[in-house]
Amino acid sequence: MIHLKLYDPKPEQTRALGSYMEAHSHLLEQIQAGEDGYKDVLGWLHVSTWAGEAVLSQVEALAEKIRKDADAFVLIGVGGSNNTARSVIEALGTDGPEIIYAGNTLSPRALSQVMDAVKGKKIWINCIAKNFETLEPGSSFRILRKYMYEAYGSTEAAQRIIATGTRGSLLEGLCHEHGYTFLGFPEDVGGRYSGITSVGLLPMAVAGINIRKLVQGAMDMERSLLFASAGENVAFEYACIRNMLYKQGYALEMLASFEPAFRWFYKWWIQLFAETEGKEGKGLFPVTGEYSEELHAVGQFVQEGTPLMFETFLDVKTPVGTLVIENDGIKDAFDYLDGMDFQTVNRIAFEATVKAHSRRLPCLILTLDRLDEYCFGEMFYFFMFACCISARLLGVNPFDQPGVEAYKEQMFEGLGKQV
Amino acid sequence: MIHLKLYDPKPEQTRALGSYMEAHSHLLEQIQAGEDGYKDVLGWLHVSTWAGEAVLSQVEALAEKIRKDADAFVLIGVGGSNNTARSVIEALGTDGPEIIYAGNTLSPRALSQVMDAVKGKKIWINCIAKNFETLEPGSSFRILRKYMYEAYGSTEAAQRIIATGTRGSLLEGLCHEHGYTFLGFPEDVGGRYSGITSVGLLPMAVAGINIRKLVQGAMDMERSLLFASAGENVAFEYACIRNMLYKQGYALEMLASFEPAFRWFYKWWIQLFAETEGKEGKGLFPVTGEYSEELHAVGQFVQEGTPLMFETFLDVKTPVGTLVIENDGIKDAFDYLDGMDFQTVNRIAFEATVKAHSRRLPCLILTLDRLDEYCFGEMFYFFMFACCISARLLGVNPFDQPGVEAYKEQMFEGLGKQV
């Protein structure tokens, strides 16, 4: 489970939370009943439809084959096609092949580094592209595909190429034509909501992540959020608090944690909220704080700068490790740490920060049980559900992203693409 | 040189730039004449006083010794003691020992990863701490120092330990007592302004960065900014534009670039501006965009969300690499890219983004000549100078950070430290 706690230095801002939740409970109930206005894109609500036994077995079998053969696995994807798998793999590590990320840049320098990194290794590539129109994965796929054909010849190259996209897409056609493995995911799951379909599950499984535990976490969270009433629904409560604070004039939500393992999860979270809410001149801008390190960067501003933000802390209940600071006989300025465990020191720093910051700005704490696959599954589902409701409270469409068309139009014109 | 260009969709916001610059030129002149109210902390203005021939030779000789012996070099530092070296090393790479970062976290998990990473390698450690009171480097130094004594015995361990701090500090005393190498840097250079003193220069030199070129870039920028009048001073102009926009109601400045090599430079920039300006309830909150990747995350919000930000793009004039997208005979949705170089594609994406975004928000472009040591030197000096003036325009002290005391007080109390 995820637990929520709120410290608000101006309690009058959120005192009406109960009645606010009651007044907006119909939005929750509509989604729970599947009667939401966006029926066609609510597929992500039902975990078993996109990560059921058939998908899990297929992904695991394919991952096993790759793990036995590959030195490196290249994930070609950007945004929703990259952030979910990456956030789990970077947090929990890989015990399988090296995972190399491509398809997320147009820089010739960064891509040359990718091409240098694959040389001399046995590799598999996985191009992940919902509609196969996005420039970064499309262009990276081209250069990596060419490399594969040259390195392995067309037959073996084809065996080492996997593509993930929606059924009936151009990408699926390409796979059939050239003998690549195709993994499909449902049309009614949008890009930023697709991370725990085959999109994210294959790269995670290749890295040795227990995807069954992760999916179980998501399913348990589904059960909890789809059936809990407004007053008992923690995702709904989180969505309501952030919208109340937004209406009080807060412009930023800062997601912070004292565990640097969340570094890439932050990116997933930023995309989810920025793309879902940032429209019609509205929305809380999502930013993140990798504490304690970034207390030495943004800490001053949070405490005394323009009062723009509230903070949401990710806390992990079960210790993430142990490391004692032993006395080594050398007297320095840190003797007061003798015999303490970093777990304790880090927790004291966390509590001190919440205490100090919450004198000035609202601080929410979301507590996870552990840092593991199961809790990542819970978190992904929790935030997708909360974000969707949050957008409804804001009065915007949670599933589109019309604002990215402006630069794409300019870009395709510059590239001479026939539209 | 660094060139500045401004696209403002509401030209009336910045039309008065010329007279604004004129009206505030005394702030520039005071700093140029060394008559600023913060004389004691203006040491960073004069590159040759902290990175002159004596310092460079000493740092180079020490680096050479380390490069000949070490498999890995552990940089123990946080914030200003870490970000400068790391931003250059991560951008330009190392041809020397592996650089491992510690002293920037309290997470037992992250620190255990550091301890795993050093095992079995020949290592040197460099503890960088201006006043040696900060918890993260102090506690990391403890565990790494203990490891060194156990791995090498006290005599050899001492030879492999370097500490960087201010002269007369407790850290210097510790070095004398135990035979560690001590590198000093001037008292009148504050933490976030100290990156191109021995603080950052030693780790960079160990990584094979040409620190003379970097210092030359900073010195040339010093000459240019210390002598250019208000109307000709690009750092002053940048500072004035951002303050005019702040007064127009913009809350965020987003530093963005299409070159992912700037990832760690962003952290340096965020600390510089957040700590310098975020006080007395004022300041632009600094955020960053790693484009094109993060156009798929925050792009929607920038284009259509709450109008909070203006953007400052870092552009690099000289191509950072070349990689052609060749036709491989397989027809897909990206045939329009046939024969194009990623350098061109990336530039078209950059120009399209500026065109699209500048229809809605002010976009500044700062153009550097190249991605190399010299231009990093220019940038560091440019932004420090601009930031200092910017804080003066805002009416806050550019050199203190009183707001971090609140959580530190709570934390030291929790840790039982005698104050």
Side-chain angles (χ1 to χ4, degrees):
Chain A
M1 267 314 296
I2 291 178
H3 294 275
L4 183 155
K5 205 159 177 158
L6 169 67
Y7 299 93
D8 190 344
K10 299 179 192 152
E12 67 279 9
Q13 297 186 125
T14 43
R15 189 165 291 142
L17 177 61
S19 54
Y20 186 91
M21 285 169 70
E22 214 168 292
H24 297 88
S25 60
H26 61 286
L27 291 175
L28 173 66
E29 286 150 17
Q30 280 171 13
I31 291 184
Q32 287 176 327
E35 291 164 5
D36 187 83
Y38 308 95
K39 259 189 176 167
D40 298 348
V41 279
L42 283 180
W44 60 273
L45 274 176
H46 306 289
V47 181
S48 58
T49 62
W50 36 262
E53 184 53 40
V55 171
L56 290 173
S57 308
Q58 185 194 13
V59 164
E60 282 173 341
L62 184 52
E64 204 40 46
K65 211 160 83 180
I66 298 167
R67 285 166 62 84
K68 278 195 184 126
D69 178 77
D71 299 322
F73 175 85
V74 186
L75 191 171
I76 304 170
V78 72
S81 302
N82 165 325
N83 292 343
T84 320
R86 190 164 198 177
S87 60
V88 179
I89 296 168
E90 300 275 352
L92 303 181
T94 172
D95 68 355
E98 178 189 1
I99 311 291
I100 295 174
Y101 299 90
N104 57 348
T105 182
L106 298 170
S107 160
R109 202 164 178 284
L111 286 165
S112 297
Q113 285 164 352
V114 168
M115 298 315 289
D116 288 343
V118 300
K119 292 234 166 76
K121 293 178 188 154
K122 288 207 281 188
I123 68 166
W124 288 64
I125 68 176
N126 182 194
C127 177
I128 309 174
K130 188 174 163 65
N131 57 18
F132 203 47
E133 277 173 8
T134 304
L135 192 56
E136 291 86 348
S139 54
S140 276
F141 186 38
R142 277 219 154 190
I143 55 170
L144 279 151
R145 192 174 68 198
K146 187 162 187 295
Y147 170 81
M148 298 295 281
Y149 276 74
E150 285 167 5
Y152 297 102
S154 59
T155 311
E156 193 182 336
Q159 289 164 354
R160 292 170 173 276
I161 296 177
I162 302 149
T164 309
T166 44
R167 301 227 166 267
S169 63
L170 182 71
L171 191 57
E172 184 174 16
L174 199 71
C175 288
H176 292 327
E177 191 181 340
H178 298 282
Y180 313 148
T181 303
F182 178 74
L183 289 178
F185 71 91
E187 185 68 53
D188 60 357
V189 176
R192 58 186 174 273
Y193 294 86
S194 71
I196 29 180
T197 67
S198 51
V199 164
L201 293 175
L202 179 65
M204 289 189 227
V206 170
I209 302 296
N210 186 332
I211 59 172
R212 284 180 189 264
K213 269 179 72 180
L214 189 136
V215 166
Q216 190 60 51
M219 288 178 93
D220 290 350
M221 188 56 78
E222 171 189 345
R223 204 161 20 242
S224 141
L225 299 180
L226 276 189
F227 295 100
S229 65
E232 310 283 317
N233 198 301
V234 65
F236 182 66
E237 188 182 354
Y238 169 60
C240 287
I241 291 172
R242 60 196 305 288
N243 276 273
M244 289 186 80
L245 293 174
Y246 171 72
K247 284 173 187 158
Q248 293 287 338
Y250 292 93
L252 308 182
E253 177 179 9
M254 176 173 276
L255 186 71
S257 164
F258 279 70
E259 181 40 59
F262 289 121
R263 177 178 299 170
W264 291 92
F265 177 77
Y266 289 163
K267 288 187 178 273
W268 176 85
W269 181 85
I270 285 177
Q271 181 192 4
L272 179 66
F273 281 93
E275 245 177 21
T276 300
E277 292 206 323
K279 47 198 76 155
E280 300 177 27
K282 296 192 270 191
L284 279 165
F285 189 70
V287 295
T288 57
E290 200 177 302
Y291 294 167
S292 63
E293 178 169 14
E294 293 183 349
L295 286 175
H296 300 271
V298 297
Q300 166 65 36
F301 198 112
V302 173
Q303 193 75 51
E304 297 191 341
T306 312
L308 295 168
M309 76 263 290
F310 64 92
E311 281 182 301
T312 298
F313 288 90
L314 281 184
D315 181 31
V316 183
K317 204 162 77 183
T318 311
V320 298
T322 180
L323 188 67
V324 174
I325 309 167
E326 291 172 59
N327 182 336
D328 61 355
I330 295 178
K331 227 182 141 41
D332 62 17
F334 300 90
D335 297 322
Y336 61 95
L337 299 175
D338 276 351
M340 290 185 92
D341 194 298
F342 272 107
Q343 177 67 29
T344 310
V345 177
N346 204 23
R347 175 145 291 274
I348 288 171
F350 162 61
E351 285 166 3
T353 303
V354 173
K355 219 167 178 176
H357 289 188
S358 66
R359 282 191 197 142
R360 183 176 197 234
L361 47 133
C363 292
L364 269 93
I365 302 178
L366 294 173
T367 306
L368 319 174
D369 290 324
R370 295 169 310 278
L371 182 68
D372 68 1
E373 289 96 334
Y374 182 87
C375 294
F376 266 106
E378 287 188 317
M379 273 207 294
F380 289 129
Y381 196 95
F382 171 84
F383 281 115
M384 291 193 294
F385 195 91
C387 186
C388 174
I389 291 177
S390 199
R392 297 300 310 279
L393 289 166
L394 197 61
V396 301
N397 180 338
F399 301 108
D400 65 353
Q401 53 283 331
V404 299
E405 293 312 315
Y407 92 89
K408 281 188 182 171
E409 223 169 79
Q410 294 289 337
M411 185 172 67
F412 288 137
E413 192 187 312
L415 291 168
K417 184 189 174 188
Q418 309 292 329
V419 199
Chain B
M1 266 314 295
I2 291 178
H3 295 274
L4 184 155
K5 208 162 174 152
L6 169 67
Y7 298 94
D8 190 345
K10 299 178 191 151
E12 66 280 9
Q13 297 186 125
T14 41
R15 189 165 291 140
L17 177 61
S19 54
Y20 186 90
M21 286 169 71
E22 213 167 293
H24 297 87
S25 61
H26 61 286
L27 291 175
L28 172 66
E29 286 151 17
Q30 280 171 13
I31 291 184
Q32 287 176 326
E35 292 163 2
D36 187 84
Y38 308 97
K39 261 190 176 166
D40 297 348
V41 279
L42 283 181
W44 59 272
L45 274 176
H46 306 289
V47 181
S48 58
T49 62
W50 35 264
E53 183 54 40
V55 171
L56 291 174
S57 307
Q58 185 195 13
V59 164
E60 282 172 340
L62 184 53
E64 204 39 46
K65 211 159 83 179
I66 298 167
R67 285 166 62 84
K68 279 197 184 126
D69 178 77
D71 298 321
F73 175 85
V74 186
L75 190 171
I76 303 171
V78 71
S81 301
N82 165 325
N83 292 341
T84 320
R86 190 165 196 176
S87 60
V88 179
I89 296 168
E90 299 276 350
L92 304 181
T94 172
D95 68 356
E98 178 189 1
I99 310 291
I100 295 174
Y101 299 90
N104 56 347
T105 182
L106 298 170
S107 161
R109 203 164 177 286
L111 286 166
S112 297
Q113 285 164 353
V114 168
M115 298 315 289
D116 288 343
V118 300
K119 292 235 166 73
K121 292 178 188 154
K122 288 207 280 187
I123 68 168
W124 288 64
I125 69 176
N126 182 194
C127 177
I128 309 174
K130 187 174 164 62
N131 57 17
F132 203 46
E133 277 174 7
T134 305
L135 193 56
E136 291 86 348
S139 54
S140 276
F141 186 37
R142 277 220 153 190
I143 55 170
L144 279 150
R145 193 175 65 198
K146 187 163 187 298
Y147 170 81
M148 297 294 282
Y149 276 74
E150 285 166 6
Y152 296 102
S154 59
T155 310
E156 193 181 338
Q159 289 163 354
R160 293 171 172 277
I161 297 177
I162 302 149
T164 310
T166 43
R167 300 229 166 265
S169 64
L170 183 70
L171 192 57
E172 183 174 15
L174 200 71
C175 288
H176 292 326
E177 192 180 340
H178 298 283
Y180 313 148
T181 304
F182 178 74
L183 289 179
F185 71 92
E187 185 69 52
D188 60 355
V189 177
R192 58 186 174 274
Y193 294 85
S194 70
I196 28 179
T197 66
S198 51
V199 164
L201 293 176
L202 179 66
M204 290 190 227
V206 169
I209 302 295
N210 186 332
I211 57 172
R212 285 181 188 265
K213 269 179 71 179
L214 190 135
V215 166
Q216 190 61 51
M219 287 177 93
D220 290 349
M221 188 55 77
E222 171 189 344
R223 204 161 18 243
S224 141
L225 298 180
L226 276 190
F227 295 100
S229 66
E232 310 283 316
N233 198 301
V234 66
F236 182 66
E237 188 182 356
Y238 169 60
C240 287
I241 291 172
R242 60 195 305 286
N243 276 274
M244 288 185 82
L245 293 174
Y246 171 72
K247 284 173 188 158
Q248 293 287 336
Y250 291 94
L252 307 182
E253 176 178 9
M254 176 173 275
L255 186 71
S257 165
F258 279 69
E259 180 42 57
F262 289 120
R263 178 178 300 169
W264 292 92
F265 177 77
Y266 289 164
K267 288 187 179 273
W268 177 85
W269 181 85
I270 285 177
Q271 181 193 3
L272 179 67
F273 280 93
E275 245 176 21
T276 301
E277 292 206 323
K279 46 197 77 156
E280 301 179 25
K282 297 192 268 190
L284 279 164
F285 189 69
V287 295
T288 58
E290 202 176 303
Y291 295 166
S292 64
E293 179 168 13
E294 293 183 348
L295 286 175
H296 301 270
V298 297
Q300 166 65 36
F301 198 111
V302 173
Q303 192 76 51
E304 296 192 341
T306 312
L308 295 168
M309 76 261 293
F310 65 91
E311 282 182 299
T312 298
F313 288 91
L314 280 183
D315 181 31
V316 182
K317 205 162 75 183
T318 311
V320 298
T322 180
L323 188 66
V324 174
I325 309 167
E326 293 172 58
N327 183 336
D328 61 355
I330 294 178
K331 226 181 141 42
D332 62 17
F334 298 91
D335 296 322
Y336 61 94
L337 298 175
D338 276 350
M340 289 185 92
D341 194 298
F342 271 106
Q343 177 68 29
T344 309
V345 177
N346 204 22
R347 176 146 291 275
I348 289 170
F350 162 61
E351 285 166 3
T353 303
V354 173
K355 219 167 178 176
H357 288 187
S358 65
R359 282 190 197 143
R360 184 179 197 231
L361 48 133
C363 292
L364 268 93
I365 301 177
L366 294 173
T367 305
L368 319 173
D369 290 324
R370 294 170 310 279
L371 182 68
D372 69 1
E373 288 96 334
Y374 182 88
C375 294
F376 266 105
E378 286 188 318
M379 273 206 293
F380 289 129
Y381 196 95
F382 172 85
F383 280 116
M384 291 193 294
F385 194 92
C387 186
C388 174
I389 291 178
S390 198
R392 298 299 311 277
L393 289 166
L394 196 62
V396 300
N397 180 338
F399 302 108
D400 65 354
Q401 53 282 331
V404 298
E405 293 312 315
Y407 91 89
K408 281 189 183 171
E409 222 168 81
Q410 294 289 336
M411 186 172 66
F412 288 137
E413 192 187 312
L415 291 169
K417 184 189 174 188
Q418 310 293 329
V419 200

